[in-house]
Each structure stands twice: as structure tokens, then as C-alpha cells.
């Protein structure tokens, strides 16, 4: 789960869609935005933001990436752990 007390400049490990949703909700609130505000800025419907924050696993990836970018976040993919298979 993302660390809820860390500043947004630190990395958060996301393993489930719910983790990403909690992080988006936390950062949106820190930025003083309502869900409807973020939806308007992102050019999406309010329902998309609600679903994103609830961790709906079937959301369109590009739209999720666009919202994250708008919020000043980036996605970095790296191997986890010390071996090739991430175990």
C-alpha cells in the first residue's frame, strides 16, 4: 500500500488498483481539488475519477496515466526485489 504520511515527492509502491486509488484520493485532497474539479481538468467524467479512487481494476490505462500526469505524477516500472523474476 502507498505510504499515506509520506510527501508526494517520494515513491509509492503500488501493487493493487486500490493502492493507486488511495494515492490519487490523498494527493487530490492535498491539492485542494474535489473529484469534480479533477474530472473537469482531466476532461473525463466524474464517474471515472470516482472509479479510479475506488480502485476499479478495469479502467482505461491511458486515461489513468493522463490523470496521473495532470496531478504531477509519473509511473516508473522497475524489477522488484533482487532476482530476475522479482521473487
Amino acid at each position: 500500500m502507498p505510504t499515506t504520511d509520506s510527501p508526494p515527492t517520494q515513491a509509492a509502491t503500488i501493487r493493487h488498483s486500490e493502492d493507486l486509488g488511495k494515492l490519487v484520493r490523498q494527493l487530490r485532497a492535498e491539492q485542494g481539488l474535489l473529484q469534480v474539479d479533477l474530472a473537469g481538468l482531466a476532461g473525463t467524467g466524474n464517474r471515472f475519477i470516482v472509479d479510479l479512487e475506488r480502485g476499479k481494476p478495469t479502467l482505461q490505462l491511458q486515461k489513468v496515466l493522463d490523470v496521473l500526469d495532470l496531478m504531477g505524477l509519473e509511473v516508473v516500472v522497475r524489477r522488484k526485489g533482487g532476482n530476475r523474476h522479482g521473487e
Side-chain angles (χ1 to χ4, degrees):
M1 294 182 91
T3 307
T4 56
D5 57 354
S6 64
T9 57
Q10 292 187 348
T13 300
I14 305 295
R15 299 215 188 279
H16 302 282
S17 57
E18 292 87 0
D19 298 340
L20 182 60
K22 288 176 186 176
L23 180 63
V24 168
R25 183 180 319 115
Q26 173 193 344
L27 295 177
R28 175 187 52 77
E30 287 176 7
Q31 293 177 14
L33 297 172
L34 299 174
Q35 288 175 329
V36 68
D37 298 330
L38 182 56
L41 291 169
T44 69
N46 192 59
R47 172 44 93 203
F48 180 82
I49 302 301
V50 170
D51 287 344
L52 174 58
E53 290 187 1
R54 287 185 179 164
K56 183 176 179 181
T58 57
L59 293 177
Q60 184 181 0
L61 178 58
Q62 187 59 57
K63 286 174 80 172
V64 171
L65 294 173
D66 290 345
V67 170
L68 295 178
D69 183 61
L70 178 69
M71 296 180 75
L73 302 171
E74 64 182 0
V75 175
V76 177
V77 178
R78 62 177 170 80
R79 291 191 189 277
K80 61 182 181 174
N83 67 31
R84 281 183 60 180
H85 301 289
E87 298 173 357

